[in-house]
Amino acid sequence: MKTPFQLQTRLASLSGRRKLALALLGAACLWPLAALAQTQIYDAKTRTWVDYDKKKARQYYARNNQPPEAFRMQTVPFRTAEAPGTIIIDGNQHFLYFVQSGGQAIRYGIGVGREGFGWAGIVRVGRTAEWPTWTPPAEMVARDPNAAKWAAGMPGGPENPLGARALYLYDGNQDTIYRIHGTAEPWTIGLDVSSGCIRMNNNDITDLHSRIKIGAKVIVLMQGAALYKGV
């Protein structure tokens, strides 16, 4: 029996998942951008799948002070050949999996880059930060007055777009400019709302940050691909 706000499952195959396919677009982790969400959640009252867009997400969070159950941190069965400590990101389903031993993973809900700002590949955690400073890229400073005032860097804090923690993703020794980070907008978890980075609830990124090791492998699945019993 389906439960309220059960996440819709859409299965797709993934080919060439080992090939690095980073599409650096010049401006990752920008100020939150409006986008059309592709997520649907199950409404037990009407017994239908309903769009979970930005407006409905804000209404749900205002009522419950947390995202739908599917996007809350939980341990789930997870079959994979990847070693414990690996991060696997399924952007289509808005989940980040932190692989555990014994065929399990800790699953977190995430917000992801909107269509056209997505990317895929295999990278690693190059460094981490607590309450990180956010520095907008030059292109953003030039066009956005809100960003311009932080051209020298916005100190870490509750209003900072990077939230409570950040994991900086590297390709070898090179910073990809992509991040896994917290958010000042927790109602956006489960939506396509940012420009390439992976955002998490501040409590969740704090938990992941406490578990992760520098050098950890991070697999980001291609757009149009979803996990089927792991990878």
Side-chain angles (χ1 to χ4, degrees):
M1 177 180 296
K2 297 182 180 71
T3 59
F5 301 104
Q6 178 181 344
L7 184 71
Q8 182 181 28
T9 300
R10 291 175 180 170
L11 300 178
S13 62
L14 172 64
S15 60
R17 59 179 178 267
R18 300 300 181 191
K19 183 178 180 181
L20 184 64
L22 289 173
L24 298 180
L25 300 172
C29 299
L30 304 187
W31 207 272
L33 298 172
L36 185 63
Q38 302 300 311
T39 308
Q40 289 187 314
I41 52 180
Y42 187 73
D43 186 338
K45 293 182 179 179
T46 62
R47 297 185 179 182
T48 59
W49 292 103
V50 296
D51 292 336
Y52 187 66
D53 58 24
K54 189 173 183 179
K55 180 179 179 180
K56 291 178 181 177
R58 290 188 72 129
Q59 291 172 340
Y60 184 92
Y61 198 90
R63 291 194 306 268
N64 299 279
N65 200 35
Q66 60 183 337
E69 183 176 357
F71 299 123
R72 300 173 202 165
M73 183 179 70
Q74 54 195 282
T75 299
V76 297
F78 192 75
R79 188 177 69 183
T80 179
E82 300 297 334
T86 301
I87 291 174
I88 300 176
I89 295 171
D90 183 350
N92 284 354
Q93 301 300 322
H94 300 91
F95 288 148
L96 180 152
Y97 295 87
F98 184 60
V99 178
Q100 305 288 284
S101 59
Q104 293 186 317
I106 301 174
R107 191 182 76 190
Y108 306 88
I110 59 174
V112 298
R114 62 189 174 96
E115 186 176 0
F117 283 86
W119 61 285
I122 300 176
V123 290
R124 69 180 183 87
V125 176
R127 68 183 182 93
T128 68
E130 298 184 15
W131 295 107
T133 298
W134 175 68
T135 303
E139 299 88 349
M140 190 176 188
V141 170
R143 68 174 185 268
D144 186 345
N146 288 326
K149 66 181 179 181
W150 301 115
M154 181 180 185
E159 302 303 318
N160 189 299
L162 295 183
R165 303 287 187 273
L167 311 182
Y168 295 78
L169 303 182
Y170 279 56
D171 177 16
N173 293 321
Q174 182 177 358
D175 188 345
T176 66
I177 74 173
Y178 288 114
R179 318 283 185 243
I180 301 171
H181 62 84
T183 181
E185 298 183 330
W187 57 86
T188 62
I189 300 305
L191 301 178
D192 302 336
V193 288
S194 61
S195 297
C197 289
I198 305 300
R199 64 171 63 182
M200 300 174 66
N201 180 293
N202 275 338
N203 288 338
D204 288 353
I205 187 62
T206 299
D207 180 83
L208 179 61
H209 178 270
S210 72
R211 300 173 186 272
I212 201 69
K213 296 185 181 299
I214 300 298
K217 185 177 184 179
V218 180
I219 301 172
V220 183
L221 301 184
M222 293 184 293
Q223 288 183 330
L227 285 170
Y228 178 66
K229 294 183 179 178
V231 295

